[in-house]
Amino acid sequence: MRDVAARAAVSAATVSLVLRRSPLISAKTRERVLSAARALGYRPNPFVQSLMRTRRRRGGAALGPVLAFVTGHPSRDGWRRDPTPVFRQMFEGARLRAEECGYRLEEFWLHEQGMSARRFCAMLCARGIHGLVLAPLPSPNATLALEWGHFATVALGFTLAHPGVHRVSNDHFHSLIIAFEECRRLGYRRLGLALSETVNEKVQRRWLAAYLLAQHQAGDLEQLVPLVAETLTERAFRDWFEAQRPEVIIAPAPQQIMLWLEAWGLRVPKDIGVASLSAPKLGDAMTGICQNGEQLGRRSIDLLVTLLERNELGLPALPDMLLVDGTWNRGQTTAALRGTLV
């Protein structure tokens, strides 16, 4: 800042006011300072700006710089009411890790009344917020038109298709492989996969691809056609179930499927096994993959803080992708078949 001040023939305090968009500085002086900054290749570090803003506060406890947890569900708390707990786990993991790193994580909803993308970005910039964690969006292949140059951004999951940003996700492909092999180890020979096309798209077909590969490589198993329904209704599920006759059903969130099975007089796991690709937590009654949501949230903050402290704002030329393994939860909705050693 002193170098910029010397080149523009102003004080360092004037440079600071210009960079903070103060109305106290004339347009002519502002342009002279900005021109000098551009000539010297000066870029203000948002982490330092937030720190200085905190130090300038008078009275009250010093608060760390804020990171934004950005959600885009139709309602403000839609992500909190999702039937799978992974959204809430990701937020909690991110919040705790942000505090450990000296930051605060606050939730921001994209669809506040009267909110446009431009106004949303201006609001964040006015508060000195330059780090974004994008929560998974409700629809796949989503596009967001934010003013990305102001922010370092990390997306959770694969729902944001454009633009390309750094992202952290469960390794869905490997998770399905784990679930398939664990069910096979229990003695199941007819392993079925059931999911909706929307969910299939949300994970970029990784579960489906892994399932088809696992079946192809397991020559001793019967080859079942997976169910990928436009809408996973009871009728669509029953037609598939009666045609394929699976011994165990692998599904992203099988709670509704279990209710249908119960209504048909089938007992889980005595008559049929069920394995979830989004089990709530280790030790839960639901058998399946725990996506380790808190770890996903923590990793997203680690990546975001690294970007901020290196002053890497804007869209990356080559986005990073960090995949976190899922963990198998034995649960109580599958059972070892007779004669199987577990």
Side-chain angles (χ1 to χ4, degrees):
M1 288 176 64
R2 285 193 295 267
D3 293 340
V4 173
R7 188 180 183 99
V10 297
S11 67
T14 297
V15 174
S16 177
L17 289 170
V18 168
L19 297 175
R20 288 156 50 196
R21 300 180 177 86
S22 170
L24 301 176
I25 304 300
S26 69
K28 183 177 179 179
T29 301
R30 177 180 293 105
E31 180 52 38
R32 190 164 79 249
V33 169
L34 293 177
S35 178
R38 287 192 294 269
L40 292 172
Y42 175 79
R43 295 177 63 197
N45 189 307
F47 174 73
V48 176
Q49 286 181 312
S50 295
L51 178 62
M52 296 306 296
R53 186 178 292 105
T54 297
R55 293 183 63 182
R56 283 192 293 266
R57 287 194 183 98
R58 296 182 179 180
L63 300 174
V66 175
L67 305 176
F69 186 82
V70 180
T71 66
H73 278 67
S75 63
R76 173 188 285 278
D77 64 342
W79 65 277
R80 295 182 184 275
R81 295 185 285 105
D82 191 89
T84 63
V86 70
F87 287 87
R88 300 180 289 279
Q89 292 169 354
M90 288 189 293
F91 176 78
E92 186 62 16
R95 184 187 66 80
L96 292 173
R97 184 57 178 155
E99 290 179 0
E100 292 170 2
C101 294
Y103 292 81
R104 288 184 297 131
L105 186 69
E106 293 185 12
E107 178 192 348
F108 292 87
W109 185 38
L110 284 167
H111 306 305
E112 293 282 2
Q113 186 174 3
M115 185 67 70
S116 65
R118 184 173 183 179
R119 186 176 177 186
F120 185 80
C121 295
M123 172 190 66
L124 294 179
C125 290
R127 290 193 53 186
I129 299 172
H130 296 278
L132 310 182
V133 175
L134 299 180
L137 298 167
S139 301
N141 302 315
T143 297
L144 284 181
L146 300 181
E147 296 176 1
W148 300 104
H150 296 297
F151 307 106
T153 306
V154 177
L156 287 162
F158 296 102
T159 52
L160 178 67
H162 301 286
V165 298
H166 302 296
R167 68 182 72 242
V168 175
S169 174
N170 171 249
D171 188 344
H172 298 105
F173 189 96
H174 188 231
S175 290
L176 191 288
I177 296 294
I178 294 172
F180 192 96
E181 290 303 320
E182 289 290 342
C183 288
R184 186 181 178 190
R185 190 170 64 86
L186 289 169
Y188 293 109
R189 287 294 174 265
R190 297 182 64 84
L191 285 70
L193 174 69
L195 69 166
S196 69
E197 182 56 43
T198 297
V199 171
N200 191 32
E201 291 287 338
K202 280 185 176 182
V203 299
Q204 295 185 332
R205 302 184 178 89
R206 292 164 188 255
W207 281 330
L208 178 61
Y211 173 79
L212 294 173
L213 176 64
Q215 277 210 132
H216 175 73
Q217 292 181 331
D220 59 324
L221 301 185
E222 298 192 46
Q223 305 290 298
L224 274 62
V225 176
L227 171 62
V228 183
E230 183 174 349
T231 303
L232 192 55
T233 63
E234 182 176 5
R235 176 62 181 272
F237 176 74
R238 183 154 197 165
D239 289 346
W240 169 81
F241 182 84
E242 292 178 347
Q244 300 300 317
R245 290 295 174 185
E247 296 174 338
V248 62
I249 299 165
I250 302 171
Q255 288 83 353
Q256 182 59 61
I257 287 175
M258 292 174 66
L259 292 176
W260 292 336
L261 294 171
E262 181 183 358
W264 303 345
L266 295 173
R267 296 162 295 176
V268 176
K270 186 171 184 178
D271 299 321
I272 186 162
V274 173
S276 173
L277 291 167
S278 187
K281 61 182 179 180
L282 291 177
D284 192 83
M286 178 68 73
T287 300
I289 292 290
C290 295
Q291 292 191 24
N292 295 320
E294 288 195 9
Q295 190 62 229
L296 295 173
R298 295 180 70 87
R299 295 295 183 88
S300 71
I301 295 297
D302 286 340
L303 179 52
L304 184 60
V305 168
T306 297
L307 295 171
L308 286 171
E309 295 182 356
R310 292 202 305 241
N311 199 22
E312 294 185 12
L313 306 185
L315 297 175
L318 293 172
D320 292 336
M321 182 185 299
L322 176 62
L323 299 179
V324 177
D325 277 343
T327 304
W328 180 252
N329 179 55
R330 186 167 181 177
Q332 301 169 20
T333 58
T334 57
L337 300 189
R338 185 174 300 174
T340 302
L341 296 177
V342 179

